[in-house]
Amino acid sequence: MRNSRKKIQIVVLLGVLLIGGYAIGKTLFADDNPIPRAGDRAPDFSLLGADGEVHHLSDYKGKALVINFWGTFCPPCVKEMPEFQKQHEKWEDSEFEILAINLSETDLVVSSFLRQFDLEYPILRDQKRATERMYGLRSYPTTFFVKPDGKIMEVFVGGMTEEQINERVERLLQT
């Protein structure tokens, strides 16, 4: 009798430890900000642009969007910025916009970069990295292709060629 009581106590103790461990693990590793994926609505943001104006994602409601997270420290980012400029020029008469969100670099670094490449599409500044966290960035560049209804069509991680960007923009504008 004493032996079976001890076994029951051990089983109960193990059960409590397992349930407690699971609960603690769920709390510690909970994903309060799930990474947006294809089919999700793009998270709204308000960011200061290089033009001195505050840009809200909601300002672009009804437009197909390319949201590109970039930095001057990232060679693939630097390489694709002129490719985005070509897409901006090609589709400027469409309901389409490119938003390039710089990842917390200084004003001097960003303004020098913009003068060097003569970019005409909106360059936004995520100085506190809040938008970067909201979008769940893990590497750069990362580009979100957002349909006019505000839902994400695709997330592309890594640098893209002009052809890769163009193919996605064409699909985006057909939706």
Side-chain angles (χ1 to χ4, degrees):
M1 174 119 171
R2 190 168 193 220
N3 201 13
S4 68
R5 187 173 191 187
K6 192 168 193 151
K7 286 180 183 178
I8 291 172
Q9 289 174 337
I10 290 172
V11 168
V12 169
L13 178 63
L14 287 173
V16 168
L17 288 173
L18 284 172
I19 292 170
Y22 175 77
I24 290 170
K26 285 290 276 185
T27 301
L28 288 176
F29 301 108
D31 196 1
D32 293 337
N33 266 343
I35 298 168
R37 292 177 170 65
D40 293 344
R41 184 161 297 285
D44 200 4
F45 54 77
S46 297
L47 294 171
L48 184 63
D51 60 1
E53 300 291 322
V54 175
H55 296 253
H56 309 272
L57 181 64
S58 56
D59 295 341
Y60 301 94
K61 185 177 181 178
K63 288 188 173 190
L65 297 173
V66 171
I67 303 172
N68 176 255
F69 289 87
W70 69 283
T72 61
F73 54 84
C74 162
C77 300
V78 172
K79 185 177 183 300
E80 70 183 9
M81 294 300 278
E83 306 301 343
F84 284 121
Q85 178 62 34
K86 291 175 187 173
Q87 292 299 308
H88 172 75
E89 292 167 5
K90 179 178 180 177
W91 301 104
E92 66 185 333
D93 294 330
S94 302
E95 288 295 310
F96 171 72
E97 190 63 74
I98 296 169
L99 304 175
I101 301 176
N102 179 264
L103 301 166
S104 70
E105 293 183 281
T106 67
D107 291 336
L108 181 61
V109 169
V110 174
S111 59
S112 294
F113 181 86
L114 295 179
R115 276 193 305 276
Q116 179 183 356
F117 286 96
D118 195 29
L119 304 173
E120 298 173 3
Y121 51 91
I123 306 296
L124 310 180
R125 308 289 308 285
D126 189 16
Q127 294 173 317
K128 295 182 182 177
R129 301 183 95 154
T131 305
E132 175 185 354
R133 286 188 297 278
M134 191 175 11
Y135 276 75
L137 265 62
R138 301 282 189 264
S139 61
Y140 314 105
T142 298
T143 307
F144 291 79
F145 294 87
V146 182
K147 299 187 284 188
D149 67 1
K151 292 188 178 176
I152 298 168
M153 178 186 83
E154 181 180 355
V155 180
F156 190 94
V157 178
M160 291 185 282
T161 64
E162 181 180 0
E163 293 79 26
Q164 289 173 313
I165 297 168
N166 187 66
E167 183 265 321
R168 285 166 175 80
V169 170
E170 285 179 353
R171 272 194 300 138
L172 191 58
L173 290 170
Q174 291 173 358
T175 59

